[in-house]
Amino acid sequence: MRSLSTRITSAVTGLAVAAGLALAGTGTAAAAAPVATAPALFGSGDHVGPPQRDFASAYGYSVLAPTAVPSGADDWSCRPTAAHPRPVVLVHGTFENRYANWAGLAPELKRQGYCVYALNYGGAVGPVTGLGDIRDSARELAAFVDRVRAATGAAKVDLVGHSQGGMMPRHYLKNLGGTTKVDKLVALSPTNHGTSLLGLGTMARVIPLGDEFLGLLCTACSQQITGSDFVTALNSPGETHPGVTYTVIATRYDEVVTPYTSSFLAAAPNVTNQRVQDFCPDDSTEHLGISYDPVATRLVLNALDPAHAQRPAC
């Protein structure tokens, strides 16, 4: 099992290489193929990026193509089937973007027969998004969900989010009428009860340019600190709504949401809290890697379609 320091070092190294390529505006034969073949730095047009197997590769690609759409997502001609009647909307986390988070899960959901959609929200500085006031981001999500419902004809959607993207939708559900438009919320390592400043600092250091934005432009960061006014209001008087099914998927090696158990929601008949190590004890995935982890992916699929649930393979 890799140590936490080794995992963080690997992430930092991969992202630093990607950032260096972006700033230099070059790609070399030694660089990873997705980075070398990405469009010009900060290209303006959305395009479909290739599937990726890990967060570092996906983020490296998004440095050069910050508006990239993950493969399988945002096909506005898609029509839900009887097997999967609700579109799936993917919601990225702080300092991240739709491609960096979902270049692995989006194509898998598409392969499983879902209509899949992903948005960037919360302001943007190149590939760094999810920085703005969480209340404004929730309004962006609300508008995007309405667009998906109008395009697909679906009455409701299911949401899958990572980190802030697993918590922010709860503001949408609680305060913006989302409970009439959402059936399931599946959250990977969400900041449901906030996290320490140390955890947010770890995230900022792993993401290129994150340190620069943590204290200057990241309203969402202060809102996600344990005990903040936003977190307190979000969880009072109750954490969930009976009309929505909630699944939280966490990892004991989360170095950003600290302690990792703060991801979990209060027990209720419509709440399922899961830890990947309860299924595969040797799984060493951490905060950024969980959206690419095969065990977590299987748990997401199970949450979306419990009638065909399968035990994750270790």
Side-chain angles (χ1 to χ4, degrees):
M1 182 182 299
R2 295 184 300 163
S3 68
L4 176 59
S5 61
T6 299
R7 293 196 303 273
I8 294 176
T9 299
S10 297
V12 171
T13 300
L15 294 173
V17 170
L21 286 171
L23 293 174
T26 62
T28 67
V35 174
T37 58
L41 178 65
F42 298 162
S44 59
D46 292 1
H47 73 284
V48 177
Q52 302 284 359
R53 298 180 64 180
D54 58 78
F55 181 87
S57 298
Y59 197 94
Y61 187 98
S62 74
V63 168
L64 299 182
T67 62
V69 177
S71 177
D74 291 9
D75 175 3
W76 297 98
S77 66
C78 186
R79 295 294 177 268
T81 64
H84 300 303
R86 292 180 301 277
V88 177
V89 175
L90 303 174
V91 192
H92 65 75
T94 313
F95 299 126
E96 300 168 355
N97 59 74
R98 62 185 173 187
Y99 183 82
N101 254 160
W102 307 120
L105 185 60
E108 176 60 21
L109 289 171
K110 185 70 171 180
R111 190 180 72 84
Q112 295 288 335
Y114 290 92
C115 292
V116 185
Y117 300 88
L119 76 160
N120 284 334
Y121 70 86
V125 183
V128 182
T129 63
L131 308 178
D133 190 310
I134 295 174
R135 293 163 294 191
D136 293 336
S137 295
R139 284 188 279 271
E140 291 183 61
L141 174 62
F144 191 79
V145 167
D146 286 346
R147 181 185 176 195
V148 169
R149 292 172 59 243
T152 60
K156 292 187 175 183
V157 305
D158 291 334
L159 304 177
V160 177
H162 174 250
S163 196
Q164 181 193 157
M167 175 272 283
M168 174 268 281
R170 292 179 49 226
H171 180 84
Y172 163 54
L173 297 174
K174 181 176 182 177
N175 299 302
L176 301 176
T179 55
T180 65
K181 303 173 184 180
V182 174
D183 187 73
K184 295 180 173 66
L185 171 59
V186 184
L188 297 162
S189 295
T191 51
N192 279 325
H193 297 96
T195 185
S196 66
L197 186 60
L198 176 61
L200 289 169
T202 297
M203 182 73 160
R205 287 191 295 275
V206 171
I207 298 294
L209 304 180
D211 266 336
E212 285 79 354
F213 299 124
L214 178 60
L216 296 175
L217 301 174
C218 188
T219 302
C221 294
S222 61
Q223 290 174 314
Q224 289 177 89
I225 293 174
T226 303
S228 70
D229 290 345
F230 180 85
V231 167
T232 299
L234 180 66
N235 293 321
S236 301
E239 297 183 6
T240 56
H241 185 279
V244 178
T245 301
Y246 301 80
T247 301
V248 175
I249 302 166
T251 171
R252 69 160 70 237
Y253 300 111
D254 196 323
E255 74 283 22
V256 174
V257 179
T258 52
Y260 76 88
T261 51
S262 67
S263 285
F264 293 146
L265 291 167
N270 57 328
V271 171
T272 300
N273 292 313
Q274 299 176 316
R275 184 176 62 174
V276 295
Q277 287 79 21
D278 290 338
F279 299 88
C280 295
D282 292 335
D283 191 308
S284 61
T285 192
E286 32 62 57
H287 188 81
L288 290 176
I290 195 169
S291 62
Y292 288 85
D293 180 65
V295 178
T297 295
R298 182 67 257 172
L299 295 176
V300 170
L301 294 173
N302 290 351
L304 293 174
D305 188 7
H308 298 92
Q310 301 175 28
R311 182 169 181 84
C314 300

PDB file of all heavy atoms in Angstrom, residues 265-283:
ATOM      1  N   LEU A 265     -23.276  11.540   5.978  1.00  0.00           N
ATOM      2  CA  LEU A 265     -24.498  12.217   6.383  1.00  0.00           C
ATOM      3  C   LEU A 265     -25.125  11.515   7.582  1.00  0.00           C
ATOM      4  O   LEU A 265     -24.883  10.317   7.825  1.00  0.00           O
ATOM      5  CB  LEU A 265     -25.496  12.239   5.224  1.00  0.00           C
ATOM      6  CG  LEU A 265     -25.105  13.130   4.038  1.00  0.00           C
ATOM      7  CD1 LEU A 265     -25.982  12.827   2.825  1.00  0.00           C
ATOM      8  CD2 LEU A 265     -25.199  14.602   4.410  1.00  0.00           C
ATOM      9  N   ALA A 266     -25.928  12.245   8.316  1.00  0.00           N
ATOM     10  CA  ALA A 266     -26.621  11.665   9.467  1.00  0.00           C
ATOM     11  C   ALA A 266     -27.497  10.502   9.008  1.00  0.00           C
ATOM     12  O   ALA A 266     -28.094  10.527   7.921  1.00  0.00           O
ATOM     13  CB  ALA A 266     -27.468  12.724  10.158  1.00  0.00           C
ATOM     14  N   ALA A 267     -27.565   9.478   9.832  1.00  0.00           N
ATOM     15  CA  ALA A 267     -28.328   8.280   9.501  1.00  0.00           C
ATOM     16  C   ALA A 267     -29.794   8.617   9.245  1.00  0.00           C
ATOM     17  O   ALA A 267     -30.409   9.415   9.964  1.00  0.00           O
ATOM     18  CB  ALA A 267     -28.215   7.262  10.627  1.00  0.00           C
ATOM     19  N   ALA A 268     -30.328   8.017   8.190  1.00  0.00           N
ATOM     20  CA  ALA A 268     -31.736   8.184   7.824  1.00  0.00           C
ATOM     21  C   ALA A 268     -32.098   7.039   6.886  1.00  0.00           C
ATOM     22  O   ALA A 268     -31.206   6.415   6.282  1.00  0.00           O
ATOM     23  CB  ALA A 268     -31.967   9.534   7.138  1.00  0.00           C
ATOM     24  N   PRO A 269     -33.388   6.729   6.737  1.00  0.00           N
ATOM     25  CA  PRO A 269     -33.776   5.616   5.856  1.00  0.00           C
ATOM     26  C   PRO A 269     -33.336   5.795   4.409  1.00  0.00           C
ATOM     27  O   PRO A 269     -33.148   4.797   3.688  1.00  0.00           O
ATOM     28  CB  PRO A 269     -35.315   5.607   5.973  1.00  0.00           C
ATOM     29  CG  PRO A 269     -35.602   6.244   7.284  1.00  0.00           C
ATOM     30  CD  PRO A 269     -34.543   7.296   7.465  1.00  0.00           C
ATOM     31  N   ASN A 270     -33.149   7.037   3.967  1.00  0.00           N
ATOM     32  CA  ASN A 270     -32.778   7.304   2.577  1.00  0.00           C
ATOM     33  C   ASN A 270     -31.299   7.662   2.434  1.00  0.00           C
ATOM     34  O   ASN A 270     -30.894   8.219   1.413  1.00  0.00           O
ATOM     35  CB  ASN A 270     -33.634   8.435   2.009  1.00  0.00           C
ATOM     36  CG  ASN A 270     -33.526   9.719   2.828  1.00  0.00           C
ATOM     37  OD1 ASN A 270     -33.343   9.671   4.039  1.00  0.00           O
ATOM     38  ND2 ASN A 270     -33.672  10.860   2.173  1.00  0.00           N
ATOM     39  N   VAL A 271     -30.481   7.342   3.436  1.00  0.00           N
ATOM     40  CA  VAL A 271     -29.050   7.650   3.411  1.00  0.00           C
ATOM     41  C   VAL A 271     -28.242   6.364   3.501  1.00  0.00           C
ATOM     42  O   VAL A 271     -28.502   5.512   4.368  1.00  0.00           O
ATOM     43  CB  VAL A 271     -28.667   8.585   4.574  1.00  0.00           C
ATOM     44  CG1 VAL A 271     -27.139   8.717   4.676  1.00  0.00           C
ATOM     45  CG2 VAL A 271     -29.312   9.948   4.407  1.00  0.00           C
ATOM     46  N   THR A 272     -27.248   6.235   2.602  1.00  0.00           N
ATOM     47  CA  THR A 272     -26.282   5.141   2.664  1.00  0.00           C
ATOM     48  C   THR A 272     -24.882   5.737   2.701  1.00  0.00           C
ATOM     49  O   THR A 272     -24.486   6.464   1.782  1.00  0.00           O
ATOM     50  CB  THR A 272     -26.400   4.216   1.442  1.00  0.00           C
ATOM     51  OG1 THR A 272     -27.725   3.659   1.387  1.00  0.00           O
ATOM     52  CG2 THR A 272     -25.384   3.081   1.513  1.00  0.00           C
ATOM     53  N   ASN A 273     -24.141   5.459   3.774  1.00  0.00           N
ATOM     54  CA  ASN A 273     -22.755   5.894   3.898  1.00  0.00           C
ATOM     55  C   ASN A 273     -21.842   4.695   3.681  1.00  0.00           C
ATOM     56  O   ASN A 273     -22.003   3.660   4.350  1.00  0.00           O
ATOM     57  CB  ASN A 273     -22.502   6.483   5.294  1.00  0.00           C
ATOM     58  CG  ASN A 273     -23.237   7.789   5.521  1.00  0.00           C
ATOM     59  OD1 ASN A 273     -23.205   8.681   4.677  1.00  0.00           O
ATOM     60  ND2 ASN A 273     -23.907   7.918   6.664  1.00  0.00           N
ATOM     61  N   GLN A 274     -20.891   4.825   2.741  1.00  0.00           N
ATOM     62  CA  GLN A 274     -20.013   3.713   2.397  1.00  0.00           C
ATOM     63  C   GLN A 274     -18.556   4.162   2.416  1.00  0.00           C
ATOM     64  O   GLN A 274     -18.241   5.327   2.161  1.00  0.00           O
ATOM     65  CB  GLN A 274     -20.349   3.168   1.000  1.00  0.00           C
ATOM     66  CG  GLN A 274     -21.762   2.630   0.885  1.00  0.00           C
ATOM     67  CD  GLN A 274     -22.102   2.181  -0.527  1.00  0.00           C
ATOM     68  OE1 GLN A 274     -21.802   2.854  -1.497  1.00  0.00           O
ATOM     69  NE2 GLN A 274     -22.728   1.021  -0.637  1.00  0.00           N
ATOM     70  N   ARG A 275     -17.678   3.212   2.694  1.00  0.00           N
ATOM     71  CA  ARG A 275     -16.246   3.447   2.655  1.00  0.00           C
ATOM     72  C   ARG A 275     -15.643   2.402   1.725  1.00  0.00           C
ATOM     73  O   ARG A 275     -15.941   1.208   1.860  1.00  0.00           O
ATOM     74  CB  ARG A 275     -15.659   3.322   4.056  1.00  0.00           C
ATOM     75  CG  ARG A 275     -14.183   3.648   4.172  1.00  0.00           C
ATOM     76  CD  ARG A 275     -13.730   3.596   5.619  1.00  0.00           C
ATOM     77  NE  ARG A 275     -13.893   2.248   6.178  1.00  0.00           N
ATOM     78  CZ  ARG A 275     -13.474   1.898   7.390  1.00  0.00           C
ATOM     79  NH1 ARG A 275     -12.911   2.787   8.175  1.00  0.00           N
ATOM     80  NH2 ARG A 275     -13.652   0.656   7.821  1.00  0.00           N
ATOM     81  N   VAL A 276     -14.818   2.823   0.771  1.00  0.00           N
ATOM     82  CA  VAL A 276     -14.318   1.864  -0.224  1.00  0.00           C
ATOM     83  C   VAL A 276     -13.556   0.728   0.446  1.00  0.00           C
ATOM     84  O   VAL A 276     -13.596  -0.418  -0.021  1.00  0.00           O
ATOM     85  CB  VAL A 276     -13.448   2.562  -1.295  1.00  0.00           C
ATOM     86  CG1 VAL A 276     -14.271   3.534  -2.126  1.00  0.00           C
ATOM     87  CG2 VAL A 276     -12.248   3.269  -0.678  1.00  0.00           C
ATOM     88  N   GLN A 277     -12.878   0.998   1.577  1.00  0.00           N
ATOM     89  CA  GLN A 277     -12.093  -0.044   2.237  1.00  0.00           C
ATOM     90  C   GLN A 277     -12.957  -1.095   2.924  1.00  0.00           C
ATOM     91  O   GLN A 277     -12.457  -2.171   3.265  1.00  0.00           O
ATOM     92  CB  GLN A 277     -11.128   0.579   3.249  1.00  0.00           C
ATOM     93  CG  GLN A 277      -9.952   1.305   2.626  1.00  0.00           C
ATOM     94  CD  GLN A 277     -10.303   2.690   2.129  1.00  0.00           C
ATOM     95  OE1 GLN A 277     -11.299   3.277   2.571  1.00  0.00           O
ATOM     96  NE2 GLN A 277      -9.504   3.243   1.219  1.00  0.00           N
ATOM     97  N   ASP A 278     -14.246  -0.818   3.112  1.00  0.00           N
ATOM     98  CA  ASP A 278     -15.142  -1.838   3.648  1.00  0.00           C
ATOM     99  C   ASP A 278     -15.417  -2.916   2.611  1.00  0.00           C
ATOM    100  O   ASP A 278     -15.835  -4.030   2.967  1.00  0.00           O
ATOM    101  CB  ASP A 278     -16.463  -1.205   4.100  1.00  0.00           C
ATOM    102  CG  ASP A 278     -16.292  -0.346   5.344  1.00  0.00           C
ATOM    103  OD1 ASP A 278     -15.310  -0.556   6.077  1.00  0.00           O
ATOM    104  OD2 ASP A 278     -17.128   0.551   5.564  1.00  0.00           O
ATOM    105  N   PHE A 279     -15.190  -2.614   1.364  1.00  0.00           N
ATOM    106  CA  PHE A 279     -15.370  -3.579   0.280  1.00  0.00           C
ATOM    107  C   PHE A 279     -14.034  -4.162  -0.161  1.00  0.00           C
ATOM    108  O   PHE A 279     -13.948  -5.360  -0.463  1.00  0.00           O
ATOM    109  CB  PHE A 279     -16.070  -2.912  -0.905  1.00  0.00           C
ATOM    110  CG  PHE A 279     -17.434  -2.397  -0.575  1.00  0.00           C
ATOM    111  CD1 PHE A 279     -17.617  -1.123  -0.057  1.00  0.00           C
ATOM    112  CD2 PHE A 279     -18.552  -3.200  -0.761  1.00  0.00           C
ATOM    113  CE1 PHE A 279     -18.878  -0.648   0.269  1.00  0.00           C
ATOM    114  CE2 PHE A 279     -19.830  -2.736  -0.442  1.00  0.00           C
ATOM    115  CZ  PHE A 279     -19.994  -1.454   0.086  1.00  0.00           C
ATOM    116  N   CYS A 280     -13.012  -3.314  -0.213  1.00  0.00           N
ATOM    117  CA  CYS A 280     -11.672  -3.747  -0.634  1.00  0.00           C
ATOM    118  C   CYS A 280     -10.658  -3.126   0.335  1.00  0.00           C
ATOM    119  O   CYS A 280     -10.245  -1.971   0.155  1.00  0.00           O
ATOM    120  CB  CYS A 280     -11.387  -3.303  -2.065  1.00  0.00           C
ATOM    121  SG  CYS A 280     -12.476  -4.087  -3.293  1.00  0.00           S
ATOM    122  N   PRO A 281     -10.270  -3.847   1.393  1.00  0.00           N
ATOM    123  CA  PRO A 281      -9.428  -3.278   2.443  1.00  0.00           C
ATOM    124  C   PRO A 281      -8.098  -2.716   1.955  1.00  0.00           C
ATOM    125  O   PRO A 281      -7.558  -1.788   2.575  1.00  0.00           O
ATOM    126  CB  PRO A 281      -9.206  -4.461   3.393  1.00  0.00           C
ATOM    127  CG  PRO A 281     -10.397  -5.345   3.168  1.00  0.00           C
ATOM    128  CD  PRO A 281     -10.703  -5.219   1.704  1.00  0.00           C
ATOM    129  N   ASP A 282      -7.553  -3.239   0.863  1.00  0.00           N
ATOM    130  CA  ASP A 282      -6.248  -2.784   0.375  1.00  0.00           C
ATOM    131  C   ASP A 282      -6.348  -1.606  -0.589  1.00  0.00           C
ATOM    132  O   ASP A 282      -5.329  -1.132  -1.102  1.00  0.00           O
ATOM    133  CB  ASP A 282      -5.506  -3.932  -0.316  1.00  0.00           C
ATOM    134  CG  ASP A 282      -5.091  -5.016   0.661  1.00  0.00           C
ATOM    135  OD1 ASP A 282      -4.932  -4.689   1.861  1.00  0.00           O
ATOM    136  OD2 ASP A 282      -4.941  -6.177   0.237  1.00  0.00           O
ATOM    137  N   ASP A 283      -7.552  -1.124  -0.838  1.00  0.00           N
ATOM    138  CA  ASP A 283      -7.715   0.020  -1.743  1.00  0.00           C
ATOM    139  C   ASP A 283      -7.115   1.262  -1.089  1.00  0.00           C
ATOM    140  O   ASP A 283      -7.505   1.645   0.014  1.00  0.00           O
ATOM    141  CB  ASP A 283      -9.198   0.244  -2.033  1.00  0.00           C
ATOM    142  CG  ASP A 283      -9.446   1.241  -3.161  1.00  0.00           C
ATOM    143  OD1 ASP A 283      -8.886   2.347  -3.085  1.00  0.00           O
ATOM    144  OD2 ASP A 283     -10.206   0.912  -4.087  1.00  0.00           O
TER     145      ASP A 283
END
